[in-house]
Amino acid sequence: MAGFSQSTSDAIIEILRELEEGLITKIDGITNDIITNKPVDEAIYFGRRNEQIFYRVIQTVSTSFSTRLGQKMENIAKCILEAGGSTDIKSKNEAKPVDLKFFHPDGYEYWVEMKSIFGQNKSNSATIEKEKKIAKEAGKRFLLCVYNEDKEDDDETLSGPSFWNFIGNDDDTWDNLSKIFESEGKRFNLSEIVNQKIEHLMDYKD
């Protein structure tokens, strides 16, 4: 199994480390203000400040991680598209109304909407159908690509490893990418950083 080139691997690692640095900055910025003026929280967790802090810290980190992860996955997808031989790659503002546009080595131009999970798509189904219609009217191929779930695919949907292998134009793309994820994931201990923040907030005295 051939791996990514060194430049592709380095670019993906840099993107993941930007994700980590952004999360650390977000966590560092959490103060006791997150538990003040929250009447519902105070009623639910009355007398249990530790649980109230835990809930709010986890909520803040989870929301930040999900948002940042989606942004970074688009950046990683662009790296993999370039490595796989796709051309005229556009993302975000350039790619409106979708997340990605590119010419694949198979000879077609694809317009791609990226999502993390299928569950999001139920609330966005009208938007996705509109984007699909615009793509087809423009003579392009539309794909809904779900990068963090693996389900049965069809002509207009790719998920999990199938998505990554398609944009990488190589059946080993996901195997190579997952190895980078695993290596970086072992290096970055998010739970330890979160627990340290919770302990710090617990020690705070009014």
Side-chain angles (χ1 to χ4, degrees), residues 139-192:
K140 317 303 180 184
R141 291 198 170 187
F142 176 85
L143 280 175
L144 170 62
C145 294
V146 182
Y147 61 81
N148 204 24
E149 284 189 334
D150 187 12
K151 295 186 178 181
E152 186 173 351
D153 302 322
D154 56 42
D155 290 341
E156 295 178 342
T157 305
L158 288 175
S159 64
S162 296
F163 161 60
W164 296 108
N165 290 343
F166 171 73
I167 63 172
N169 197 34
D170 188 314
D171 289 343
D172 290 332
T173 298
W174 169 246
D175 288 338
N176 292 318
L177 180 61
S178 64
K179 284 181 171 57
I180 295 176
F181 287 164
E182 290 169 8
S183 176
E184 288 299 296
K186 289 176 182 176
R187 189 188 58 77
F188 180 62
N189 192 332
L190 180 59
S191 62
E192 181 178 315

Side-chain angles (χ1 to χ4, degrees), residues 83-128:
S86 291
T87 58
D88 196 23
I89 304 164
K90 298 181 176 67
S91 59
K92 279 305 178 185
N93 290 337
E94 290 183 319
K96 289 181 178 179
V98 292
D99 293 321
L100 289 170
K101 293 179 181 177
F102 55 87
F103 282 98
H104 192 272
D106 66 7
Y108 294 99
E109 180 177 355
Y110 289 87
W111 288 15
V112 172
E113 182 67 18
M114 283 183 66
K115 299 293 182 185
S116 61
I117 59 174
F118 279 95
Q120 293 176 334
N121 303 325
K122 293 177 181 178
S123 61
N124 295 328
S125 58
T127 299
I128 291 170

Side-chain angles (χ1 to χ4, degrees), residues 122-140:
K122 293 177 181 178
S123 61
N124 295 328
S125 58
T127 299
I128 291 170
E129 286 303 314
K130 182 179 179 180
E131 291 171 351
K132 184 189 301 185
K133 181 180 178 181
I134 293 172
K136 289 184 175 180
E137 288 175 349
K140 317 303 180 184

Side-chain angles (χ1 to χ4, degrees), residues 72-88:
K72 298 306 181 184
M73 288 301 104
E74 289 180 17
N75 294 341
I76 289 174
K78 190 172 181 179
C79 288
I80 291 176
L81 283 164
E82 292 172 350
S86 291
T87 58
D88 196 23

